[in-house]
Amino acid sequence: DTTLAQIIKLVEEAANSKAPISKLADKVSGIFVPTVIGIALIAIIFWLIVIKLQSGDLQRFDYSIIETVQSTISDQLTSVVKGITFFGGKLWIMTAVIIGAIYFAFIDKVYSFYLVFNCGFGSIFNRILKVWIHRQRPSFYPIIHESGYSFPSGHSMNSFVLYITLALILTKLVNSKRKLLIIWLFSILLVLAIGTSRIYLGVHFPSDVLAGF
């Protein structure tokens, strides 16, 4: 065969079968297109919340929730809540992302990249919003002390991104519906518990936590 004929044959074969790069592109688009749509929706929601931050209705909402949550304070419960909030902290989040990325790299590098991308973007996005909105932290009865701005809650946002991303990845890997139900329930309950812990500990307004979700 001539060189031209060989080239034509290769082109035909490529057209009739998906090359690895094409399969990778399909997989990546299936993961990241929903992510981009989600980011756009989140941006709209944040804009509405920023406008609402100036209203008295939101302040009344915040203080009513804080009073309810902090009315349950006790030494025993505080120890438990401090343990829960640890699983939304920077040290644990970074450790979990590194371990998760290494583990998923042996299964499919796309999942590993998806985990690192989501958690990295979430952390950067949170910092940008804090500086942009520069809302001060609550000044009443803080059980622990945190530095930096309050809105949105970093613990809430970072834990939401980490645990929901892990649940999404495991949805692709786990075939058992019962196991998936347990995974999703555990992820959602843990995220909610971490968010509530930030209100209990007096370092965030409820609206900070909701915005983090």
Side-chain angles (χ1 to χ4, degrees):
D1 293 341
T2 64
T3 301
L4 179 60
Q6 291 176 350
I7 293 174
I8 293 173
K9 185 177 180 180
L10 288 172
V11 171
E12 290 176 347
E13 290 177 353
N16 294 328
S17 63
K18 288 202 170 186
I21 188 66
S22 178
K23 292 180 181 179
L24 179 62
D26 286 347
K27 190 176 292 186
V28 169
S29 64
I31 291 175
F32 288 103
V33 169
T35 300
V36 171
I37 294 173
I39 290 171
L41 291 174
I42 289 170
I44 295 172
I45 292 171
F46 267 112
W47 179 254
L48 294 174
I49 292 175
V50 169
I51 295 174
K52 199 69 176 174
L53 279 175
Q54 310 301 323
S55 72
D57 291 340
L58 185 59
Q59 292 180 5
R60 286 190 290 273
F61 165 78
D62 279 336
Y63 284 101
S64 65
I65 297 295
I66 289 169
E67 287 179 4
T68 301
V69 173
Q70 290 202 327
S71 67
T72 63
I73 289 176
S74 68
D75 292 339
Q76 294 81 3
L77 185 56
T78 297
S79 297
V80 174
V81 171
K82 285 182 178 180
I84 292 172
T85 208
F86 170 79
F87 292 100
K90 292 178 182 178
L91 177 61
W92 171 255
I93 295 291
M94 289 178 61
T95 303
V97 170
I98 292 170
I99 294 174
I102 293 172
Y103 174 77
F104 289 124
F106 289 101
I107 300 174
D108 193 323
K109 291 181 180 179
V110 171
Y111 296 139
S112 181
F113 180 72
Y114 182 55
L115 176 64
V116 174
F117 174 84
N118 278 6
C119 292
F121 179 84
S123 179
I124 294 171
F125 188 47
N126 181 265
R127 288 177 178 273
I128 292 172
L129 287 171
K130 281 180 180 290
V131 173
W132 174 40
I133 299 170
H134 55 267
R135 187 188 198 186
Q136 300 299 321
R137 292 183 182 272
S139 57
F140 48 87
Y141 198 51
I143 297 175
I144 63 174
H145 295 277
E146 296 279 7
S147 60
Y149 294 118
S150 184
F151 184 95
S153 166
H155 276 65
S156 298
M157 181 176 288
N158 291 331
S159 62
F160 179 88
V161 173
L162 172 63
Y163 298 118
I164 298 304
T165 297
L166 288 173
L168 287 169
I169 293 173
L170 292 174
T171 299
K172 298 285 187 179
L173 301 176
V174 177
N175 295 322
S176 170
K177 292 183 178 180
R178 183 178 178 182
K179 290 180 180 179
L180 283 176
L181 178 61
I182 293 172
I183 289 169
W184 275 99
L185 282 176
F186 176 79
S187 299
I188 293 170
L189 290 175
L190 180 57
V191 168
L192 292 175
I194 291 170
T196 305
S197 75
R198 306 307 286 169
I199 301 170
Y200 178 97
L201 294 171
V203 291
H204 279 293
F205 295 101
S207 53
D208 299 336
V209 172
L210 289 175
F213 294 157

